[in-house]
Amino acid sequence: MKRSDVLVIGLLAAAMSASTPAAAQDRYPLRPVRLVIPSVPAGVHDVIGRVWAERVKPQFGAIVIDNRGGGAGSIGANDVAHSAPDGYSILLGSTTTHVLVPPVMANPPYDPVKDFSAVAVFAYSSSIVVNPSVPVRTLAELIAYAKANPGKLSYGSAGTGSITHIAGEYFKQLAGGLEIVAVPYKGIGQAVTDVIGGQIPMLSANATAQILDLHRTGKVRILSVNSQTRIRGAPDLPTSIEAGLPGMVAQTTFGIFAPAGTPEPILARINAVTQQALADGEFQTELVRLGFEPVRDVGPATAAGVFQDELARWTPILKAVGGKPE
């Protein structure tokens, strides 16, 4: 065989090797990645999803945002659950899409455990808010006022089946079965407007930068945050547990998900850029400013367990309070 023939054969073999799935995984991503955000623009999922995408883009490559709202996030989650497991369709999922929605649906379109590979967990957020005209300044005072005025109060939420709605119903249950009317909105924006204007006296909302700013300027009053510990964005606010309501933990966990069966090297790549972003002090400061709590070093090995533990905790609560998404 001529030396030139050997060279040609060698080049062909190298080209074929580079085109194999394994080689493509090592070079991932080779084209823009679609990040499905299961909410309308400006919702809490949209805020954290866009912040993550912008931060990892320099190391990761182009990311196309695809907002798919509806069904309390189930429409967007279902899209990714049934996409090709190649890393080019990923989901900004949360407690809502992977814990609260599937258990209360008669025929859930996806299995939150079997249909996904959890990649990374990176932020938490949640709060009980009142209009300043409500004559209470603490959670204990709110509970006492609600008991003395059954049916007089109502609270807004981002929609039936959302974490804000379930948190509101869970609060009523833990506080002894309070008679507070639930007013589900189609997204949190109008609910915030209405609590500021006094059309509704209460709001169950994630502790976003907007809510924290409204609290600081006196337009609303946050009584407590529904997290295990105080949030860095507002360390002066007590947790609901500190305020006298043991067990009142209802926070949103956000994470990146890929379809089940996505190759490990691809999951590792997504996690690597996420952890690199979370290690950056400026990014942590930005998340805190927006009302989120940065969570570091929770990758594919442990991310799935975080959501499975939450699913086990919330399922009996959901059966007790209801909350079928609209």
Side-chain angles (χ1 to χ4, degrees):
M1 183 179 293
K2 295 180 181 178
R3 185 173 180 274
S4 59
D5 292 338
V6 174
L7 180 59
V8 169
I9 292 173
L11 291 172
L12 287 173
M16 291 175 65
S17 175
S19 65
T20 62
Q25 292 169 26
D26 291 340
R27 297 164 57 200
Y28 168 85
L30 296 171
R31 62 179 190 271
V33 171
R34 182 176 68 115
L35 175 65
V36 174
I37 296 179
S39 76
V40 297
V44 67
H45 287 80
D46 189 60
V47 171
I48 191 66
R50 289 177 185 274
V51 168
W52 174 82
E54 191 63 31
R55 180 61 60 162
V56 303
K57 192 185 302 180
Q59 293 77 35
F60 191 64
I63 299 174
V64 178
I65 302 296
D66 186 1
N67 288 92
R68 291 184 176 256
S74 63
I75 292 175
N78 184 53
D79 179 298
V80 174
H82 296 97
S83 293
D86 56 9
Y88 290 98
S89 288
I90 60 178
L91 174 74
L92 188 282
S94 69
T95 301
T96 298
T97 59
H98 281 69
V99 176
L100 302 182
V101 173
V104 298
M105 298 183 79
N107 295 294
Y110 60 89
D111 185 303
V113 176
K114 295 179 180 179
D115 289 342
F116 292 91
S117 294
V119 184
V121 174
F122 57 92
Y124 301 104
S125 166
S126 179
S127 64
I128 296 174
V129 181
V130 297
N131 180 281
S133 65
V134 180
V136 301
R137 289 192 169 273
T138 67
L139 195 64
E141 290 178 357
L142 173 64
I143 293 171
Y145 182 80
K147 288 180 177 178
N149 299 273
K152 183 176 180 179
L153 291 174
S154 61
Y155 77 92
S157 72
T160 303
S162 68
I163 183 65
T164 55
H165 168 241
I166 299 301
E169 293 304 293
Y170 189 38
F171 163 68
K172 288 160 54 177
Q173 182 190 71
L174 285 181
L178 300 178
E179 293 184 38
I180 301 176
V181 179
V183 183
Y185 285 73
K186 293 186 182 298
I188 202 65
Q190 188 59 47
V192 172
T193 299
D194 285 357
V195 77
I196 294 171
Q199 283 78 21
I200 52 173
M202 285 180 58
L203 180 67
S204 175
N206 287 297
T208 61
Q210 178 191 22
I211 296 297
L212 295 177
D213 285 344
L214 290 171
H215 170 76
R216 294 186 185 106
T217 56
K219 295 180 180 178
V220 301
R221 184 179 298 141
I222 300 176
L223 302 182
S224 63
V225 291
N226 301 319
S227 49
Q228 290 278 8
T229 59
R230 296 193 180 200
I231 61 174
R232 281 190 268 174
D236 57 313
L237 294 173
T239 67
S240 295
I241 296 173
E242 290 176 315
L245 202 58
M248 187 59 213
V249 176
Q251 57 193 20
T252 305
T253 304
F254 295 92
I256 301 296
F257 293 83
T262 300
E264 291 296 329
I266 291 176
L267 302 181
R269 173 66 176 148
I270 299 170
N271 179 54
V273 296
T274 300
Q275 298 308 327
Q276 183 177 351
L278 286 167
D280 184 88
E282 289 185 3
F283 186 45
Q284 292 182 32
T285 300
E286 184 176 13
L287 288 175
V288 170
R289 181 186 66 79
L290 291 170
F292 299 107
E293 293 292 291
V295 181
R296 295 183 59 186
D297 301 324
V298 180
T302 53
V306 170
F307 284 92
Q308 288 173 22
D309 289 347
E310 281 290 272
L311 185 62
R313 185 176 81 88
W314 275 107
T315 296
I317 297 171
L318 290 168
K319 291 180 180 178
V321 306
K324 183 177 180 180
E326 295 178 343

Coordinates of all heavy atoms in Angstrom, one line a residue, residues 8 16 31 39 49 62 80 90-91 98 100 124-125 143 164 173 195 201-202 210 216 253 269 278 282 291:
V8 N -4.5 8.8 3.6 CA -5.9 9.1 3.3 C -6.8 8.3 4.2 O -7.8 8.8 4.8 CB -6.2 8.8 1.8 CG1 -7.7 8.8 1.6 CG2 -5.5 9.8 0.9
M16 N -14.2 10.1 10.8 CA -15.3 9.3 11.3 C -15.4 9.2 12.8 O -16.4 9.3 13.4 CB -15.1 7.8 10.7 CG -15.4 7.7 9.2 SD -15.0 6.1 8.6 CE -16.3 5.1 9.4
R31 N -24.2 23.6 18.8 CA -25.1 24.6 18.2 C -25.9 25.2 19.4 O -25.8 24.7 20.5 CB -26.1 23.8 17.2 CG -27.0 22.7 17.9 CD -27.9 22.1 16.8 NE -28.9 21.2 17.4 CZ -28.7 20.0 17.6 NH1 -27.5 19.4 17.3 NH2 -29.7 19.2 18.1
S39 N -43.0 29.4 31.9 CA -43.8 30.5 32.3 C -43.8 31.6 31.3 O -43.0 31.6 30.3 CB -43.3 31.1 33.7 OG -42.2 31.9 33.4
G49 N -34.2 32.1 35.0 CA -33.7 31.4 33.8 C -32.9 32.3 32.9 O -31.8 31.9 32.4
A62 N -24.3 29.8 22.8 CA -25.6 30.4 22.6 C -26.7 29.6 23.2 O -26.8 28.4 23.1 CB -25.9 30.6 21.1
V80 N -40.0 19.4 27.3 CA -38.7 18.9 27.5 C -38.6 17.5 27.8 O -37.8 16.7 27.3 CB -37.9 19.8 28.5 CG1 -36.6 19.2 28.8 CG2 -37.8 21.2 28.1
I90 N -33.3 21.9 27.2 CA -33.2 21.7 28.6 C -34.3 22.6 29.3 O -34.9 23.5 28.6 CB -31.8 22.1 29.1 CG1 -31.5 23.5 28.8 CG2 -30.8 21.1 28.6 CD1 -30.1 23.9 29.3
L91 N -34.6 22.4 30.5 CA -35.7 23.0 31.2 C -35.2 23.8 32.4 O -34.4 23.3 33.2 CB -36.7 21.9 31.6 CG -37.9 22.4 32.5 CD1 -38.9 23.2 31.7 CD2 -38.6 21.2 33.2
H98 N -41.9 20.0 39.2 CA -41.5 18.7 39.6 C -42.0 18.2 40.9 O -41.7 17.0 41.3 CB -39.9 18.7 39.6 CG -39.4 18.6 38.2 ND1 -39.5 19.6 37.2 CD2 -38.8 17.5 37.5 CE1 -39.0 19.2 36.1 NE2 -38.5 17.9 36.3
L100 N -45.2 20.0 42.8 CA -46.5 20.3 43.1 C -47.5 19.9 42.0 O -48.7 19.5 42.4 CB -46.6 21.8 43.3 CG -45.7 22.4 44.4 CD1 -46.0 23.9 44.5 CD2 -46.0 21.7 45.8
Y124 N -33.2 29.3 45.7 CA -34.5 29.1 46.4 C -35.1 30.5 46.6 O -34.5 31.5 46.5 CB -34.3 28.5 47.8 CG -33.6 27.2 47.9 CD1 -32.3 27.1 48.3 CD2 -34.3 26.0 47.6 CE1 -31.7 25.9 48.4 CE2 -33.7 24.8 47.7 CZ -32.4 24.7 48.1 OH -31.8 23.5 48.2
S125 N -36.4 30.5 46.8 CA -37.0 31.8 47.1 C -38.4 31.5 47.8 O -39.0 30.5 47.5 CB -37.1 32.6 45.8 OG -38.0 33.6 45.9
I143 N -52.7 35.9 62.1 CA -53.5 34.7 62.5 C -54.6 35.0 63.4 O -55.8 34.6 63.2 CB -52.6 33.6 63.1 CG1 -51.6 33.1 62.0 CG2 -53.4 32.5 63.6 CD1 -50.5 32.2 62.6
T164 N -47.1 29.5 45.2 CA -47.7 30.6 46.0 C -49.1 30.2 46.5 O -49.5 30.5 47.6 CB -47.7 31.9 45.2 OG1 -48.4 31.7 44.0 CG2 -46.3 32.3 44.9
Q173 N -54.0 26.0 56.8 CA -54.1 24.7 57.5 C -53.3 24.7 58.8 O -53.8 24.3 59.8 CB -53.7 23.6 56.5 CG -53.8 22.2 57.1 CD -53.1 21.1 56.3 OE1 -51.9 21.1 56.2 NE2 -53.9 20.3 55.6
V195 N -52.7 44.0 45.3 CA -52.4 44.1 46.7 C -51.9 45.5 47.1 O -52.2 46.0 48.1 CB -51.4 43.0 47.2 CG1 -50.0 43.3 46.9 CG2 -51.6 42.8 48.7
P201 N -56.3 42.1 50.2 CA -55.5 42.5 51.4 C -54.3 41.7 51.6 O -53.4 42.2 52.3 CB -56.5 42.3 52.5 CG -57.4 41.2 52.0 CD -57.5 41.4 50.6
M202 N -54.2 40.6 51.0 CA -53.0 39.7 51.2 C -52.5 39.1 49.9 O -53.2 39.1 48.9 CB -53.4 38.5 52.1 CG -53.6 38.8 53.6 SD -54.1 37.3 54.4 CE -52.7 36.2 54.1
Q210 N -38.7 42.6 43.4 CA -39.8 43.5 43.3 C -40.6 43.6 44.7 O -40.9 44.6 45.2 CB -40.8 43.1 42.2 CG -42.0 44.0 42.1 CD -43.1 43.5 41.2 OE1 -43.1 42.3 40.9 NE2 -44.0 44.3 40.7
R216 N -39.7 47.5 51.4 CA -38.8 48.5 51.9 C -39.4 49.9 51.7 O -39.1 50.8 52.5 CB -37.5 48.5 51.2 CG -36.7 47.2 51.5 CD -35.3 47.2 50.9 NE -34.6 45.9 51.1 CZ -34.4 45.0 50.1 NH1 -34.8 45.3 48.9 NH2 -33.8 43.9 50.4
T253 N -37.6 25.7 44.8 CA -36.3 25.3 44.4 C -36.2 25.3 42.9 O -37.1 24.8 42.2 CB -36.0 23.9 44.9 OG1 -36.2 23.8 46.3 CG2 -34.6 23.4 44.6
R269 N -21.3 18.8 31.7 CA -20.9 20.0 31.1 C -21.8 21.2 31.5 O -21.4 22.3 31.9 CB -20.9 19.9 29.5 CG -20.7 21.2 28.8 CD -19.4 21.8 28.9 NE -19.2 23.0 28.1 CZ -18.5 24.0 28.4 NH1 -17.8 24.0 29.6 NH2 -18.4 25.1 27.6
L278 N -21.9 30.0 39.8 CA -22.3 30.1 41.2 C -21.1 30.5 42.1 O -21.2 31.0 43.2 CB -23.0 28.9 41.7 CG -24.4 28.7 41.2 CD1 -24.9 27.3 41.5 CD2 -25.3 29.7 41.9
E282 N -19.9 38.0 42.0 CA -20.9 39.0 41.4 C -22.2 38.3 41.1 O -23.3 38.9 41.3 CB -20.2 39.6 40.2 CG -19.1 40.5 40.4 CD -18.6 41.2 39.1 OE1 -19.2 40.9 38.1 OE2 -17.6 41.9 39.2
G291 N -33.6 38.4 45.2 CA -34.4 37.7 46.1 C -34.2 36.2 46.2 O -34.9 35.5 46.9

